[in-house]
Amino acid sequence: MYFVSRELVEQIANSSVVQAGMDAAIGSAARGLPWEDVFTGYSLSEVAQGQNLAFVHMGEVAFSESGRSHYSHGVRSTSLVYHDKSLARLRGHHAWSTAHECRTEASQIRIACDDGPHVACNNATWRRCYYIHNGTRCPPERAGARRHS
């Protein structure tokens, strides 16, 4: 999951480079269409411009998904985003999360950014930032895990 500013969405929507990439992807649909997050990343790397570009990596405490990826550890009490295509699993995870959630107030969320600029395909510079989770206040309990007394 990602959040993109209005200004960056306008840059993407008005870009002939992105439109050409989209047309090429649709034209080669026999191999499958690109995933929306992959295409969004491609679009941003090709056209985004600005003085304060940054992306935030949420990490596995806040993000999980189904399948066989690095992030496929199941839903946690700290999950903000769970990516799955199975409605039955989503419903089950939602029910578990509702009973076990650990809310973090917006004022308690901390982000840290590294110093080095990251250069995109179009030579725009980005800052890479990270979500810092308070594991003491809100331990990342996994669904189905047993609690030890």
Side-chain angles (χ1 to χ4, degrees):
M1 181 169 178
Y2 42 82
F3 301 94
V4 181
S5 72
R6 180 183 54 78
E7 291 84 3
L8 290 178
V9 169
E10 288 175 352
Q11 289 178 28
I12 291 171
N14 295 324
S15 169
S16 59
V17 171
V18 172
Q19 186 63 51
M22 186 182 314
D23 292 343
I26 291 169
S28 65
R31 294 190 312 248
L33 293 174
W35 293 332
E36 76 286 349
D37 53 347
V38 173
F39 194 80
T40 301
Y42 155 77
S43 300
L44 289 169
S45 72
E46 289 290 336
V47 302
Q49 293 290 328
Q51 296 300 314
N52 197 20
L53 298 173
F55 60 92
V56 179
H57 177 64
M58 294 302 290
E60 63 187 43
V61 172
F63 176 83
S64 182
E65 64 184 356
S66 65
R68 296 184 178 168
S69 78
H70 171 73
Y71 295 105
S72 60
H73 51 64
V75 71
R76 293 178 171 184
S77 55
T78 55
S79 293
L80 297 175
V81 176
Y82 182 74
H83 187 252
D84 197 326
K85 294 182 181 178
S86 164
L87 185 57
R89 275 195 305 264
L90 286 170
R91 285 182 174 149
H93 288 317
H94 176 72
W96 186 89
S97 294
T98 301
H100 295 88
E101 71 181 331
C102 185
R103 292 181 182 237
T104 300
E105 299 298 322
S107 62
Q108 297 173 329
I109 293 176
R110 299 289 177 255
I111 304 291
C113 300
D114 60 16
D115 292 331
H118 299 273
V119 181
C121 297
N122 66 347
N123 290 321
T125 57
W126 290 74
R127 291 184 308 148
R128 180 173 53 187
C129 303
Y130 306 90
Y131 167 71
I132 301 172
H133 178 74
N134 182 346
T136 302
R137 185 195 160 288
C138 195
E141 177 186 351
R142 289 185 184 185
R146 295 181 186 202
R147 290 186 183 188
H148 299 290
S149 304

